[in-house]
Amino acid sequence: MNTQEAIELPDSKTESYRFTPIARELARLFDLTTTAESTAPIEYQPHLLPLTGVHNLVFINGKLTEGKSLPWVKVSDDVHTENGLDAFAKLNYSQQEETVSISIPQGTAPGVLCIYYVLTGKANVIAHPRIALSAGPDTEWLILEKAISLANSPTFLNRQCTVSLAPYARLSWVQIQSDRADSFQVNNTEFRVAEKAKFNSYTLSTSGAMIRNNLSVRIVGSEAEAHLFGLYALSGKTHVDNHTVADHEQPNALSNELYKGILADQSKAVFNGKIFVRQLAQKTNAFQSNRNIILSDAATIHTKPQLEIWADDVKCSHGCTAGQLDDEAMFYLRSRGISEGKAKSLLLHAFATEVFESLSHQGIRSVVDEILEGRLNTIA
Amino acid sequence: MMLTINNLQARVGDKAILRGINLSVKAGEVHAIMGPNGSGKSTLASVLTGREDYEVTGGDVTFNGKDLLSLSAEDRAREGIFLAFQYPVEIPGVSTVNFMKTALNQIREYRGEQALDAVAFLARMKEKMKLVEIDQSLLSRSLNEGFSGGEKKRNEIFQMAMLEPKLAILDETDSGLDIDALRIVATGVNKLRTPQNATIVVTHYQRLLDYIVPDFVHVLYQGRIVKSGGRDLALQLEEKGYDWIKAEAAAV
Ligand SMILES: Nc1ncnc2c1ncn2[C@@H]1O[C@H](COP(=O)(O)OP(=O)(O)OP(=O)(O)O)[C@@H](O)[C@H]1O
Ligand SMILES: [Mg+2]
């Protein structure tokens, strides 16, 4: 599919992309006006996570291929009519007519849905999947997303998700970003959390070329709860940018955000956390924290909280830190016979585990722990 | 000779702290090191255990025939040196149990021994817990985090018991212990003594030496051992303080 005109992607003159020159990188490596053709069948099963008792959706180059028959999954053509979409969303719509709608109705038993984005092909491997998910009242689901590049050239995943939680819904959203070193991702995700719903997000980034996560949570009902957790543990030249928004539109709600980072080699991370508390949103509790351990002089972190508060009766806090591994702790461990590498990984592990403490699903938790463990053992 | 320290000098930045230490320790012996605040006792312990903040500017140290100063901190521990810290570090997110399992198995691997399986490890832990009367619940918590001063010291001796070092250096292990805890910890240390291992006790007070009776007492002052003697030297210090020693040192 071709676009009539090229969409202008935000370059480094755009404030929110100042530290993440993804437009430049994409222009260098891809022709964004076309999309990879669907290819011959591909053996992706061995690359899926070892989980049982879960539902799978598999997209190949942005098109849903596995999971179409699930009763609450619908594929529809969708022309974008909304205004004010960001450039990557526009690009997604311009290249992809399919929207995959997932609606989990009230009364559905708790479950887990794994969504895989397989990217494959010889050149210009780009995928623009688009998902709209709604979690019905009182449902309890966990959604996991993971990209799998099986191409022999760089890949670009530009995925769009809009998610709504009905009152009393409990939803956990896990993104595992551990793809190849030449994979690029932009993930635009918007969550709308209704009254008394409870939302948890976990974003684990361990590898890739450049990843931009725009994750925004709109609290549209009172007494809702949103917990945003993130961990990036990066080496090489991996660049991960998390732009998050917690937007309180209704009163008596809680948002709690904890993003932690470990940066080795020449890796780069950007964290930008916005908190909005609208005038109606009295008695809001909004907390945010971003903590980083920098393992190399060549690694960089740009971290910035942004608070805009129009209500007067609110509790808000934010903080960010960047430092090295604690020397005293390192010596203490080594003085007991623990090697420098192992001591590092113990301390990094201790630093990181907090992020996933509330992830209670056993199977998913061990998958996450294993990826993390592997990452921390090699980063140290 | 287990440990031979020969004219050891060390500094931080351009500040000389150890200015020519000589000390020999044989297997089976207990040495007490005393001396005024700031004289270099903890620095000596740090240099012996391989802390990199201190720059060794002269002298050498031999431990069981090996050039100690050329070994990394972890290899010194694996060779059998243990330091009970004056100020144990709090490490959130790492439990003592997990920490000890890792340490013990890395030490065993270095010595070409099999890793302990879970059952053997647990049995050893139970035995050593009893020795210092430390509670299991403390050990499954984050290492030293929120521990009382006394609990931290007890945990140090528990770790010593677990690792069974050849040379244990106890840096003011008595400070922060109540009277009962002092007796328990000191009794534990005594039980760990064998003819094959040695202990260096750094302390300010005779009361610890009532339990852990030293064969030799040394006074460290301004980075040098200025006086050595038998156990009665400690009693003398308790009675007279350090002024006479300082005067003697000044006269040299
Ligand atoms: N890392 C360091 N940086 C700067 N000065 C140091 C450092 N470590 C030790 N010193 C200094 O070296 C001297 C000796 O310190 P050390 O801790 O060895 O004394 P100590 O004999 O153990 O004293 P105390 O009885 O109070 O424990 C002190 O003056 C101390 O301030
Ligand atoms: Mg000291």
Side-chain angles (χ1 to χ4, degrees), chain A residues 328 332 334 336-337 339-340, chain B residues 74 78 83 106 156 159:
Chain A
E328 300 269 326
Y332 191 83
R334 292 177 64 199
R336 299 299 186 241
S339 69
E340 192 173 355
Chain B
E74 53 267 38
R78 294 161 180 178
L83 170 62
Q106 290 219 330
E156 293 293 290
Q159 293 173 34

Side-chain angles (χ1 to χ4, degrees), chain B residues 12 15 17 35-43 54 86 172 204:
Chain B
V12 169
K15 182 179 176 183
I17 303 176
N37 294 132
S39 56
K41 303 181 297 297
S42 295
T43 301
Y54 300 94
Q86 182 174 2
E172 296 198 29
H204 288 293

Side-chain angles (χ1 to χ4, degrees), chain B residues 88 146-154 173 175-177:
Chain B
F147 284 26
S148 75
E151 287 168 342
K152 285 181 185 168
K153 293 305 177 78
R154 212 182 272 224
T173 299
S175 71
L177 290 178

Side-chain angles (χ1 to χ4, degrees), chain B:
Chain B
M1 203 57 71
M2 176 185 275
L3 177 76
T4 311
I5 303 175
N6 173 36
N7 193 27
L8 181 63
Q9 296 156 54
R11 67 178 181 197
V12 169
D14 49 15
K15 182 179 176 183
I17 303 176
L18 303 184
R19 304 191 301 153
I21 304 258
N22 295 294
L23 180 68
S24 295
V25 178
K26 283 202 193 81
E29 292 177 348
V30 175
H31 290 244
I33 296 181
M34 306 182 78
N37 294 132
S39 56
K41 303 181 297 297
S42 295
T43 301
L44 175 61
S46 296
V47 170
L48 290 178
T49 47
R51 193 170 196 129
E52 284 143 3
D53 307 337
Y54 300 94
E55 186 194 347
V56 175
T57 50
D60 49 75
V61 181
T62 313
F63 180 68
N64 285 333
K66 291 211 163 96
D67 173 10
L68 189 71
L69 300 179
S70 68
L71 299 178
S72 64
E74 53 267 38
D75 281 351
R76 296 181 200 198
R78 294 161 180 178
E79 289 290 339
I81 291 192
F82 180 91
L83 170 62
F85 284 76
Q86 182 174 2
Y87 305 107
V89 187
E90 301 194 0
I91 307 186
V94 178
S95 71
T96 306
V97 177
N98 188 20
F99 165 48
M100 274 296 103
K101 200 180 286 168
T102 309
L104 198 58
N105 285 333
Q106 290 219 330
I107 291 172
R108 292 176 71 90
E109 190 185 328
Y110 179 82
R111 295 178 183 163
E113 295 162 9
Q114 287 270 308
L116 280 188
D117 63 28
V119 178
F121 177 78
L122 217 67
R124 181 170 180 141
M125 223 181 70
K126 287 258 155 65
E127 178 201 331
K128 307 301 185 184
M129 273 163 48
K130 229 181 271 158
L131 192 76
V132 289
E133 298 182 24
I134 197 166
D135 206 61
Q136 166 96 57
S137 65
L138 213 54
L139 301 181
S140 29
R141 271 165 54 182
S142 278
L143 191 51
N144 292 328
E145 195 184 31
F147 284 26
S148 75
E151 287 168 342
K152 285 181 185 168
K153 293 305 177 78
R154 212 182 272 224
N155 190 7
E156 293 293 290
I157 303 306
F158 166 74
Q159 293 173 34
M160 170 184 162
M162 287 297 287
L163 302 181
E164 295 178 342
K166 297 194 182 93
L167 174 68
I169 304 167
L170 312 183
D171 192 356
E172 296 198 29
T173 299
D174 50 340
S175 71
L177 290 178
D178 67 40
I179 295 159
D180 292 333
L182 179 71
R183 182 179 39 76
I184 292 161
V185 163
T187 311
V189 171
N190 282 334
K191 282 194 193 138
L192 294 169
R193 287 183 59 186
T194 71
Q196 284 78 46
N197 62 27
T199 315
I200 296 175
V201 192
V202 175
T203 184
H204 288 293
Y205 303 106
Q206 172 59 35
R207 53 170 197 197
L208 178 66
L209 305 179
D210 288 340
Y211 294 106
I212 306 174
V213 181
D215 302 298
F216 301 95
V217 175
H218 311 277
V219 179
L220 193 61
Y221 177 58
Q222 294 186 340
R224 287 194 188 93
I225 289 178
V226 294
K227 197 164 190 70
S228 295
R231 71 194 56 153
D232 36 311
L233 177 56
L235 294 167
Q236 249 178 305
L237 293 171
E238 179 98 332
E239 194 186 321
K240 301 202 283 186
Y242 288 112
D243 281 351
W244 62 285
I245 298 229
K246 291 179 185 171
E248 271 184 27
V252 178

